Amino acid sequence: PIFIYFLLITFTFATKAQFVINGNAVDQGQGDILLTNPLGYQVGSIWYQDKISLGNSFELTFELYFGNKDNGADGMTFCLQPLNTSIGVSGGGLGIAGVQPSFFAEFDTYKNGGEVYFDHLALQKNGSTTNSGVNNLTSPVQIKAGFDNVEDGQWYAMKATWNANLKKFELFVDCELRAVYTGDIVNEIFNGDPMVFWGFTASTGGANNEHRIRNIKTNFITINDKTICKGESVQVDIP
């Protein structure tokens, strides 16, 4: 027989109806999702409905909107966690407080006690938004280099990448590298289980802001190699 080999194909696609939407979050259409209104004590989250494997590398791009109230609150996260698709907590915990195990990038726009004065991002684990101690994986830096405030009514382009071979997570804002963490997060955080949900959370407290996300694109979907004989076909199921 003559064999035809299909190479591993990775698709980049705009993720739309594949999310579970929770709390105050609203799908506004055209890939634009409102996570919180500018009201007190709101929480919104979206989680992709299926788990992915951190045994595979990925690239994820998206845009975030932090509102237009300087000194508003509280911010957003991009998170990986294995528990469920209904997680979301209001207040200064950015929607992810207490979720363990978890690995996440925080985008914090409100200065709580002991925090830096500027709108910052950091890589954290296990539902802790405190920028010190064992759950803080990278030091806080400005969300956008050279800017103390991102609650300015502008959209910010983000890219998150995970290299499964190098065990390296990188986060870019407007094409500038802002945070890097190298470590075996599967074994050190997720107890050896590589299967996790991915999504975004946001919250407000006594202070508030509008939080939105749009243009989510990723290459999480892969098709494995297939071998067939001449004249045969193979059916591919892509969610």
Side-chain angles (χ1 to χ4, degrees), residues 175-190:
C175 297
E176 292 190 50
L177 181 63
R178 304 300 296 141
V180 181
Y181 178 73
T182 301
D184 188 356
I185 63 177
V186 171
N187 288 306
E188 294 173 0
I189 299 176
F190 297 119

Side-chain angles (χ1 to χ4, degrees), residues 65-67 109 119 143-144 147-154 156:
Y65 177 86
F66 299 96
T109 59
D119 295 344
I143 292 175
K144 181 173 173 61
F147 290 77
D148 289 342
N149 174 46
V150 294
E151 300 159 291
D152 55 3
Q154 303 298 312
Y156 289 89

Side-chain angles (χ1 to χ4, degrees), residues 103-149:
F103 173 88
F104 62 97
E106 66 161 10
F107 304 91
D108 193 334
T109 59
Y110 186 78
K111 185 183 183 303
N112 292 294
E115 292 186 339
V116 294
Y117 68 90
F118 49 81
D119 295 344
H120 65 275
L121 66 83
L123 302 181
Q124 307 278 136
K125 67 176 182 176
N126 294 337
S128 172
T129 58
T130 302
N131 298 136
S132 61
V134 297
N135 292 319
N136 175 233
L137 302 176
T138 65
S139 298
V141 297
Q142 293 168 317
I143 292 175
K144 181 173 173 61
F147 290 77
D148 289 342
N149 174 46

